[in-house]
Amino acid sequence: MKNLNPSSAFAKTTWKNHFSTKSNLTTWFNKYLDKSNVSSWNSIIAELARGGDSTEALRAFYSMRRLSLKPNRSTFPCAIKACSALLDLYSGKQTHQQALIFGYDTDLFVSSALIDMYSKCGQLRDARILFDQIPQPNIVSWTSMITGYVQNNNPGQALLLFKELLIQESENDGDASNEHVFVDSVAIVSVISACSRVPVKGASEGIHGMVIKKGFDGDVAVENTLLDAYAKRGDVALSRKMFDAIVDKDDVSWNSMISVYAQNGMSNEALEVFYEMVRDNNVSYNIITLSSVLLACAHSGALQTGKCIHDQVIKMDLENNVIVGTCIIDMYCKCGRVEMARKAFNCMKVKNVRSWTALISGYGMHGRAKEALEVFYEMIRNGVRPNYITFVSVLAACSHAGVVQEGWDCFKAMKEEFKVEPGLEHYSCMVDLLGRAGYLNHAYNLIKEMKVTPDFVIWGSLLAACRMHKNVELAEISAYKLFELDSNNCGYYVLLSNIYADAGRWKDVERMRLVIKDRGLVKSPGFSLVELKGRVHIFLVGDKEHPQHEKIYKHLQELNVKLQGVGYIPKLTSAPYDVDDEEKGLTLRVHSEKLAVVFAIMHTFPGATIHVIKNLRICGDCHTFINLISKIVDREIVVRDSKRFHHFKDGSCSCGDYW
DNA sequence: ATAGGGTTAG
């Protein structure tokens, strides 16, 4: 990736991202147009609905009705569309009623709009009843219904309906008269989207074949959907290939590619495409782009870039959008700045359950259970109903801080008061909370009570807790479950081996070592990230690839000497047994977080806070090392590991050594 | 003057 200064990348293009301020058409109308003219009202309603101001469109429709003007066949589709956009089922039903009264409910335009409205509002059955009542549905009717199934998580049914459509089409005999339906590019887009959501191998390839056969492969929306479909199947490389092949890329193409990278954790690639998009003179980025970029920043801990995006959101006057606002909260939390997140949260005019949840989750990952719970209670007092994910965040907060009683109370309240059925994530939080606090049998009993089959996360939490509390018996039970569930994961064998070692059972240690060796299992390599001047640097365990690695090791050595002066003893490994032992040889494989921290010390001003992201959990030795470093170099060091944040300051860590 | 599709958050 090019070494771009994100703020300068923006400076050039700010001007072209002006969002047209919504002129208040109703005011304009009140002044200049003839209120008794239905056509004038129709234009107004259509213009507002198309411009995305559905509230105003609906208001205009109601004003028109108050004047006792008769709406016609052009009025209803727009009014219904506005209800659909607002997910306003109540107004939708009322408008449907009016359409019935005026005899327009069988109109193809009106019925398509109604099918769309009912399915967007989650009333798929009503949508289907309407569809079945249409004597001769056209391609728009079919597509509305197919899309309804896709958007209500029933892609299988969508594909079945598409098959019916194809049969219908094949009976046309090539006669292109009005009564005949032909699959068009809009229908194809909907069907590709269905294919990408259905768990059938080769579904996307199948539809891609049809796209080419029917000649839709030059349509940019079709291409964009295929790009997304391949990414959903997990083939990001193919997705990129599709992207590169689009000649007439539009903003959605760019947004899709950025989103694909962001959602697959490829943050640098996401930013690279974004900067390229910024430089492209034919497209402009929008709120969707910025949301995806913020996600990439959150993922890689790119705080400086994230702040630039936040500035950009403000400049573009988009900070009142609830989605981008939630992205900003999440970005600050995941970049270690939970206070900034709180500030952004407080400024939000519109908050929804996901905004609240983002903040709760943020406090939780920083080990601040008290604040997480306070926000949770405040949310309930505000009448916002917590959902499945909210409770995952609340329970995770409790587990990170070891807050057993409140955690248990919330778990109970979730089931009994809020009627949220506990899922795998909730159980893994509870097992972790109870297990680490020493209530191993309670944790085990909870697992046995589960209605869903416990997964590797749950058994893994129990196994880790068993190590902490030296319970070999329960450790063996958990480990053997894990070997069944995920037999190639080296970590479980290492953990069990360490538990045996703690108990002095050396024969068992040797047995585990042999299993690892015989199966050729390897640990997933650790890596850490540090952002410097808008660029994210990656460090691998024992890194010799980074251009500055020699300087970094030299500086690390100097720091080690200083630390040894205050009593630090570098450990070869923090565990009694480590698979790396055999490959250790002459040089120690330095963990990536040490390299990242040293690199950051070398390249930032004295006193500046250091942020590091690590893909695995931080080990005991690195924890001690960074703790002491924070005192010696007088720096605040923030480390996000795979589980949570550690804020090191003046020789102590926010986790209280409980992690 | 009217209907259906592709990209965004916890």
Side-chain angles (χ1 to χ4, degrees):
Chain A
M1 182 184 142
K2 286 214 179 73
N3 203 343
L4 271 173
N5 182 345
S7 45
S8 70
F10 288 130
K12 199 183 78 182
T13 46
T14 306
W15 58 269
K16 77 172 186 189
N17 292 294
H18 57 86
F19 264 56
S20 60
T21 30
K22 286 172 201 149
S23 57
N24 192 331
L25 286 169
T26 309
T27 315
W28 180 68
F29 178 86
N30 285 340
K31 277 184 189 165
Y32 303 108
L33 283 179
D34 179 6
K35 280 190 194 173
S36 61
N37 186 341
V38 173
S39 301
S40 300
W41 283 100
N42 282 351
S43 323
I44 284 291
I45 298 167
E47 187 80 11
L48 287 167
R50 222 178 316 124
D53 200 343
S54 308
T55 312
E56 278 296 301
L58 208 53
R59 204 172 284 165
F61 176 67
Y62 283 128
S63 307
M64 172 192 178
R65 294 293 302 123
R66 269 197 299 277
L67 293 170
S68 301
L69 286 170
K70 266 179 78 176
N72 60 25
R73 60 200 302 254
S74 307
T75 323
F76 282 109
C78 294
I80 296 164
K81 198 179 175 177
C83 301
S84 169
L86 294 168
L87 303 177
D88 184 348
L89 182 60
Y90 181 80
S91 304
K93 279 184 173 172
Q94 278 200 328
T95 315
H96 183 184
Q97 204 58 35
Q98 304 237 337
L100 269 168
I101 292 167
F102 289 95
Y104 291 117
D105 58 309
T106 52
D107 181 278
L108 275 175
F109 281 66
V110 175
S111 56
S112 295
L114 284 171
I115 291 169
D116 175 67
M117 185 276 293
Y118 278 116
S119 51
K120 289 241 163 58
C121 294
Q123 309 295 310
L124 208 50
R125 288 178 60 126
D126 291 315
R128 183 64 200 234
I129 289 167
L130 275 163
F131 176 74
D132 288 335
Q133 280 172 354
I134 304 173
Q136 280 198 310
N138 67 8
I139 188 62
V140 181
S141 328
W142 283 92
T143 308
S144 306
M145 199 58 234
I146 290 171
T147 307
Y149 283 119
V150 178
Q151 290 176 346
N152 283 277
N153 296 318
N154 199 344
Q157 199 62 44
L159 290 183
L160 285 177
L161 199 59
F162 178 59
K163 268 192 181 168
E164 282 184 45
L165 170 58
L166 286 178
I167 292 166
Q168 185 97 7
E169 190 190 48
S170 70
E171 287 165 1
N172 286 346
D173 284 335
D175 175 10
S177 66
N178 277 342
E179 303 96 72
H180 291 151
V181 284
F182 286 94
V183 173
D184 65 5
S185 69
V186 180
I188 280 289
V189 163
S190 193
V191 172
I192 298 168
S193 167
C195 287
S196 70
R197 286 164 170 82
V198 88
V200 175
K201 240 184 132 182
S204 300
E205 284 83 353
I207 198 69
H208 196 163
M210 187 186 285
V211 165
I212 294 168
K213 217 173 111 193
K214 285 184 177 288
F216 293 126
D217 45 332
D219 184 295
V220 68
V222 171
E223 292 175 302
N224 292 341
T225 318
L226 278 169
L227 179 168
D228 187 63
Y230 284 123
K232 282 207 171 67
R233 203 189 59 176
D235 198 337
V236 176
L238 187 53
S239 176
R240 174 66 198 228
K241 232 176 141 179
M242 286 293 309
F243 174 74
D244 288 333
I246 306 174
V247 279
D248 278 312
K249 292 185 186 68
D250 66 4
D251 55 338
V252 181
S253 320
W254 289 92
N255 289 347
S256 302
M257 197 64 241
I258 293 169
S259 159
V260 162
Y261 279 137
Q263 289 181 346
N264 284 280
M266 298 165 77
S267 314
N268 272 340
E269 288 83 353
L271 291 175
E272 202 177 330
V273 176
F274 172 60
Y275 291 139
E276 213 183 308
M277 180 185 187
V278 169
R279 285 194 298 266
D280 189 309
N281 286 315
N282 298 315
V283 286
S284 51
Y285 54 91
N286 59 23
I287 197 152
I288 298 179
T289 325
L290 297 179
S291 300
S292 296
V293 175
L294 283 164
L295 184 69
C297 294
H299 196 96
S300 59
L303 177 65
Q304 297 161 39
T305 312
K307 275 182 175 170
C308 287
I309 306 289
H310 187 185
D311 287 344
Q312 195 57 29
V313 167
I314 294 167
K315 267 188 211 155
M316 288 164 72
D317 198 24
L318 298 174
E319 77 258 56
N320 289 327
N321 177 285
V322 67
I323 296 182
V324 84
T326 304
C327 290
I328 288 167
I329 293 171
D330 185 53
M331 180 276 293
Y332 279 125
C333 289
K334 293 202 174 126
C335 291
R337 297 299 181 93
V338 74
E339 306 305 338
M340 298 284 281
R342 176 83 216 205
K343 232 171 131 180
F345 177 82
N346 290 343
C347 291
M348 279 177 88
K349 287 210 180 91
V350 183
K351 303 176 178 98
N352 64 19
V353 61
R354 290 159 84 140
S355 333
W356 287 91
T357 303
L359 188 63
I360 293 169
S361 142
Y363 277 124
M365 63 179 92
H366 287 272
R368 292 163 65 169
K370 192 169 165 280
E371 282 119 317
L373 285 165
E374 275 168 12
V375 174
F376 174 62
Y377 297 135
E378 196 187 332
M379 164 184 166
I380 292 169
R381 279 200 302 277
N382 275 271
V384 180
R385 196 182 164 76
N387 63 19
Y388 187 97
I389 308 280
T390 314
F391 280 106
V392 173
S393 308
V394 170
L395 299 178
C398 294
S399 96
H400 286 141
V403 182
V404 179
Q405 188 59 52
E406 282 90 338
W408 187 255
D409 291 343
C410 286
F411 186 60
K412 247 183 90 179
M414 171 180 87
K415 295 184 283 187
E416 289 164 14
E417 283 175 49
F418 295 97
K419 310 290 177 206
V420 173
E421 190 65 31
L424 287 173
E425 296 99 321
H426 304 108
Y427 280 110
S428 53
C429 290
M430 290 311 290
V431 168
D432 185 65
L433 174 60
L434 294 168
R436 287 199 298 143
Y439 303 102
L440 288 174
N441 289 321
H442 286 78
Y444 186 42
N445 287 335
L446 197 64
I447 295 177
K448 286 196 282 196
E449 275 172 27
M450 287 172 64
K451 283 182 199 157
V452 275
T453 313
D455 67 350
F456 66 97
V457 185
I458 292 177
W459 290 114
S461 297
L462 190 60
L463 181 61
C466 286
R467 176 169 190 207
M468 198 180 250
H469 297 286
K470 305 196 188 304
N471 185 328
V472 182
E473 197 190 335
L474 209 46
E476 282 180 327
I477 294 174
S478 322
Y480 282 96
K481 288 283 184 189
L482 286 164
F483 298 159
E484 278 173 34
L485 286 166
D486 193 5
S487 60
N488 288 324
N489 190 317
C490 182
Y492 306 134
Y493 298 91
V494 174
L495 201 47
L496 184 60
S497 150
N498 289 336
I499 292 168
Y500 284 137
D502 289 343
R505 287 168 58 168
W506 302 109
K507 274 188 183 167
D508 290 316
V509 174
E510 179 60 16
R511 192 162 54 86
M512 286 300 116
R513 198 188 69 83
L514 283 174
V515 172
I516 293 166
K517 203 182 161 191
D518 289 350
R519 298 211 191 159
L521 302 179
V522 281
K523 286 204 291 191
S524 54
F527 64 84
S528 296
L529 310 175
V530 169
E531 187 200 31
L532 196 75
K533 289 178 187 154
R535 186 200 193 287
V536 176
H537 292 254
I538 179 163
F539 296 90
L540 302 172
V541 56
D543 203 317
K544 292 276 196 295
E545 303 292 316
H546 194 276
Q548 298 184 28
H549 72 269
E550 282 178 11
K551 277 187 193 167
I552 297 168
Y553 280 102
K554 194 165 162 275
H555 200 93
L556 173 66
Q557 194 44 42
E558 288 165 17
L559 285 168
N560 268 328
V561 171
K562 274 192 197 171
L563 289 185
Q564 280 160 34
V566 295
Y568 169 70
I569 304 155
K571 289 181 200 158
L572 274 182
T573 157
S574 65
Y577 171 73
D578 193 304
V579 268
D580 288 344
D581 282 353
E582 300 194 5
E583 44 188 287
K584 239 162 232 152
L586 290 173
T587 47
L588 171 70
R589 296 242 291 170
V590 181
H591 281 170
S592 58
E593 56 268 50
K594 285 189 183 177
L595 299 174
V597 166
V598 172
F599 173 77
I601 291 172
M602 292 162 61
H603 291 281
T604 50
F605 291 112
T609 301
I610 289 167
H611 291 264
V612 170
I613 309 279
K614 153 124 198 187
N615 69 329
L616 307 173
R617 296 190 70 175
I618 188 169
C619 79
D621 174 52
C622 288
H623 198 271
T624 310
F625 174 87
I626 298 171
N627 223 341
L628 294 170
I629 285 283
S630 74
K631 195 179 169 91
I632 281 195
V633 301
D634 193 21
R635 295 279 201 123
E636 209 177 319
I637 303 171
V638 182
V639 178
R640 187 182 96 195
D641 74 8
S642 61
K643 271 268 182 192
R644 58 166 296 157
F645 272 92
H646 300 263
H647 290 256
F648 299 94
K649 196 182 173 184
D650 205 23
S652 74
C653 178
S654 63
C655 75
D657 299 336
Y658 184 83
W659 86 93

